[in-house]
Amino acid sequence: MIAGVALGDGVGAAFTGRAGGVSTAPYDSLNLGGSVGDDPAAVRANRRRVADALGIDPERTVFMRQVHGADVAFVTSPDLGEPVDAIVTTVPGLALAVLVADCAPVLLADPVAGIVGAAHSGRPGTAAGVVPALVEQMCERGAEPARISAAIGPAACGRCYEVPAAMRDEVAAVVPGAYATTSKGTPGLDIRAGIVEQLAGAGVTGVQVDPRCTIEDRGLFSYRRDGRTGRFAGYVWLKGDA
């Protein structure tokens, strides 16, 4: 299951789901994460399946070593040495991927400037401002906030993402929009609402939000629900050849 996203002319973008791959339990079946304990051959096969479905080159796809930070890297090839949680490119045909299983995958594009970006924004990264940092890096390379289109993918929703009250207060102190109360009446976080607030603060208002909750939807991987599990992904790329 792959859900395409419209981010403008000349830009490809999509979020994957859980079905349609070759991985066995507990990673069944379209696990794209290479560091969760799955068979590497299965992960490679799954990534090829997604690349074929999207019409991109699996050998020209950038996967980050994500560490829940706010560092951003500009990339011109699939080789990415340092751990980062956001990447930017102006190279056509080079796909950017972000892996998640409750955190929010965020895809950005300015088709006029010919620049795209992807960010991994969970609780720590959102509080640290990884998405605003990505917008800033894109603008330094010619993007304009008013032209940027954004898509926030499936993530743990505020009804389900339960946290200690002190943690909610800590995050809400820097991202007020993330403050939430769960369906049980306990302290929670709505990471996607916080990211929408951050994007608006950076001047980005063209934002699509996928409403699916990873904890509620078994068609998606969820670490909080299942513990040992796989990862789905958000992809964004400039169409054409480098």
Side-chain angles (χ1 to χ4, degrees), residues 112-156:
V112 175
I115 185 167
V116 294
H120 164 247
S121 193
R123 174 186 55 79
T126 301
V130 65
V131 171
L134 175 58
V135 173
E136 182 179 357
Q137 286 290 322
M138 290 176 66
C139 290
E140 287 181 1
R141 294 181 178 274
E144 293 184 7
R147 291 196 311 242
I148 292 176
S149 295
I152 304 172

Side-chain angles (χ1 to χ4, degrees), residues 62-123:
V62 187
F63 286 91
M64 295 177 277
R65 186 151 51 96
Q66 301 165 181
V67 291
H68 296 281
D71 289 334
V72 184
F74 178 75
V75 294
T76 58
S77 77
D79 301 319
L80 180 61
E82 70 272 26
V84 295
D85 286 271
I87 43 180
V88 179
T89 195
T90 55
V91 178
L94 184 67
L96 310 181
V98 50
L99 296 167
V100 291
D102 288 325
C103 297
V106 183
L107 311 177
L108 303 180
D110 180 342
V112 175
I115 185 167
V116 294
H120 164 247
S121 193
R123 174 186 55 79

Side-chain angles (χ1 to χ4, degrees), residues 18 25-28 36-38 221-223 225-231:
R18 182 166 187 162
Y27 310 106
D28 49 323
V36 294
D38 194 5
F221 293 110
S222 170
Y223 177 80
R225 182 189 65 224
D226 298 328
R228 192 178 182 192
T229 191
R231 300 293 185 269

